[in-house]
Amino acid sequence: MKAIRLHIKQNSANYKKEETVQNRMTFPLPPYSTVIGAIHKACGYTSYHPMQVSVQGKYGSLKTKMYKDDCFLNSLNDDRNLLVKMKNPDMLSSAYQIVATAQNTQGNSFEKGITINVINEKLLEEYRFLKRTKRRIDKHKKIINKMKTRLKEMKADENISAEEVKEFDKRIKHIKAVYDEYEKVKYTIPYSHFRTLAKGPKYYELLCDIELIIHIVADENTMNDIMDNIGNLTAIGRGEDFVEVLECAQTELTEVDEDVDYEKNDFDVYMPVEYYEENQSDMDIISKTDGGYAGGTKYFMPKDYVVEQIKGGMRKRVFNRVPVIFCQINYLDSGCKGIMLDKSENGIYTVLLA
């Protein structure tokens, strides 16, 4: 079986666990989805190209760093955090002006001026004017509700002709359209520039001195693309987690036709559970962590995904997850099923494709 072997080094990286927020924890090695995404970006793919991936490697140390987090809330609050005005309401960025800041965690009011620090008086007055405008619009729009009630009464009254009902209905729709357009221009659009910004300290884990061995198996065209575009592979993980590609070579994978002793190997590996369950009597694995699954740590590792439509026209990614054991392989007996070997000049690599 033909494969591509990548030998990569990184000074530091965070392979974020998606369920972590306050402390952005990292996987010990890049997930399959992270590797596949980086390869697709390097090749310029805009659609998924199926591939099998094996990931192993090691890191020197793990440290935690603090950073300042800027979080724009989904709704504009009048009583907390920072009131800011965005330069572009359709883009969350650092292009904003601070209008005012709340002094307390609760009980403040930007509109009423209660326990706030005013940074930009002019923009704060604009914000307050928009709030007053909204109340005036809502007050006048109550007329439409009264007219709709009257329309129901007209429909139930046999003495009122269908033509009169139709004309009254058209009048309601016209007035509503006028109010909606007025609200859009005078309130909705200008108000959308204001957002609530929450600032605070958060943390992320950082792996240092990383060395990775990645094997990729795909169709011939895809593998040729990877070889041709490996120079475009700049990062794995975050955009700033730069890589140094020490080797990109085609190799031939073989079955386990001999006993393999990994006494001097210090690479950890993601082993899909199916390989262990099939060959547990023919292998020995060790782990740097206590407990877990069969001496290793079990993860449900994301690989590829499909896009599903959800309410409101939104879409979400639904990942195919592979149960794996993060471990170190001590030895393999001849005849292990499904497991492949890459016999290189630097030693024998175990290839556990997922």
Side-chain angles (χ1 to χ4, degrees):
M1 179 187 296
K2 290 184 178 180
I4 292 177
R5 178 178 65 245
L6 299 178
H7 187 185
I8 291 171
K9 281 194 174 182
Q10 293 181 276
N11 288 332
S12 60
N14 175 281
Y15 312 122
K16 183 177 181 294
K17 294 181 180 180
E18 61 267 41
E19 69 273 14
T20 59
V21 179
Q22 289 298 117
N23 180 22
R24 295 184 177 181
M25 300 173 68
T26 179
F27 286 108
L29 297 173
Y32 300 128
S33 58
T34 301
V35 173
I36 292 172
I39 294 297
H40 276 60
K41 183 178 180 181
C43 294
Y45 292 149
T46 56
S47 59
Y48 179 60
H49 288 236
M51 58 183 66
Q52 292 179 289
V53 180
S54 173
V55 180
Q56 57 188 298
K58 61 181 179 178
Y59 61 89
S61 62
L62 182 148
K63 59 184 179 181
T64 301
K65 296 190 70 174
M66 185 178 72
Y67 70 99
K68 183 185 72 174
D69 179 65
D70 288 356
C71 176
F72 292 97
L73 304 188
N74 290 331
S75 59
L76 176 53
N77 296 296
D78 183 60
D79 64 342
R80 67 196 67 182
N81 299 312
L82 280 74
L83 177 65
V84 300
K85 184 178 182 181
M86 309 297 297
K87 295 291 185 182
N88 183 350
D90 298 322
M91 181 182 298
L92 299 181
S93 69
S94 59
Y96 60 79
Q97 291 177 279
I98 299 178
V99 179
T101 63
Q103 295 178 0
N104 303 323
T105 56
Q106 58 184 2
N108 316 284
S109 175
F110 295 117
E111 184 180 6
K112 298 177 182 178
I114 300 173
T115 57
I116 64 170
N117 296 321
V118 179
I119 308 299
N120 191 315
E121 184 71 41
K122 183 179 178 180
L123 292 181
L124 184 59
E125 283 303 316
E126 180 184 343
Y127 167 78
R128 289 168 173 170
F129 174 77
L130 290 171
K131 297 286 281 187
R132 293 194 298 269
T133 299
K134 175 61 174 173
R135 285 196 292 271
R136 287 198 302 268
I137 292 172
D138 290 344
K139 182 179 179 180
H140 287 294
K141 287 178 76 171
K142 290 180 180 179
I143 298 172
I144 299 175
N145 294 331
K146 293 180 179 179
M147 294 179 72
K148 287 182 177 179
T149 302
R150 174 57 183 157
L151 180 63
K152 290 181 180 180
E153 294 173 352
M154 292 174 66
K155 289 180 178 179
D157 193 338
E158 297 179 354
N159 297 321
I160 299 176
S161 66
E163 189 63 30
E164 280 186 84
V165 173
K166 185 177 180 181
E167 285 298 320
F168 193 71
D169 188 28
K170 286 175 61 177
R171 184 183 172 193
I172 293 175
K173 290 179 180 177
H174 173 71
I175 295 174
K176 184 178 183 304
V178 171
Y179 275 129
D180 288 345
E181 181 63 22
Y182 182 84
E183 181 177 18
K184 178 182 176 182
V185 174
K186 296 295 184 180
Y187 171 76
T188 305
I189 294 177
Y191 190 72
S192 68
H193 286 73
F194 290 92
R195 301 294 294 257
T196 297
L197 173 64
K199 289 177 176 281
K202 287 189 178 180
Y203 303 87
Y204 64 90
E205 294 179 341
L206 202 62
L207 301 174
C208 301
D209 300 324
I210 304 160
E211 186 176 357
L212 301 173
I213 300 294
I214 298 172
H215 289 84
I216 303 170
V217 174
D219 62 73
E220 186 175 354
N221 291 334
T222 301
M223 291 174 66
N224 289 336
D225 285 343
I226 296 172
M227 295 292 293
D228 293 340
N229 293 281
I230 195 61
N232 297 327
L233 181 63
T234 57
I236 295 179
R238 304 169 301 169
E240 62 267 38
D241 295 335
F242 300 115
V243 302
E244 178 186 1
V245 181
L246 302 179
E247 180 188 30
C248 176
Q250 286 195 342
T251 184
E252 189 72 30
L253 304 182
T254 61
E255 295 181 351
V256 185
D257 54 3
E258 59 179 314
D259 293 347
V260 184
D261 189 344
Y262 293 97
E263 183 179 351
K264 296 181 180 180
N265 180 28
D266 57 354
F267 280 174
D268 295 304
V269 64
Y270 287 146
M271 177 188 292
V273 169
E274 59 184 284
Y275 290 118
Y276 179 78
E277 292 179 343
E278 185 77 15
N279 302 288
Q280 56 182 310
S281 60
D282 298 320
M283 66 166 62
D284 180 43
I285 63 174
I286 57 178
S287 173
K288 296 177 182 177
T289 58
D290 295 329
Y293 185 97
T297 304
K298 189 174 181 181
Y299 295 109
F300 283 95
M301 196 62 59
K303 183 188 175 186
D304 50 22
Y305 64 88
V306 295
V307 177
E308 288 188 358
Q309 202 78 22
I310 57 178
K311 292 182 179 180
M314 303 292 287
R315 298 183 301 171
K316 70 173 181 178
R317 296 176 179 180
V318 179
F319 277 91
N320 167 37
R321 296 182 180 272
V322 181
V324 302
I325 308 170
F326 173 67
C327 62
Q328 204 173 95
I329 299 177
N330 200 22
Y331 72 80
L332 295 174
D333 284 343
S334 174
C336 284
K337 298 176 183 177
I339 299 174
M340 307 298 288
L341 298 179
D342 176 15
K343 301 176 181 179
S344 72
E345 296 178 355
N346 298 320
I348 299 177
Y349 298 115
T350 306
V351 181
L352 302 160
L353 296 169

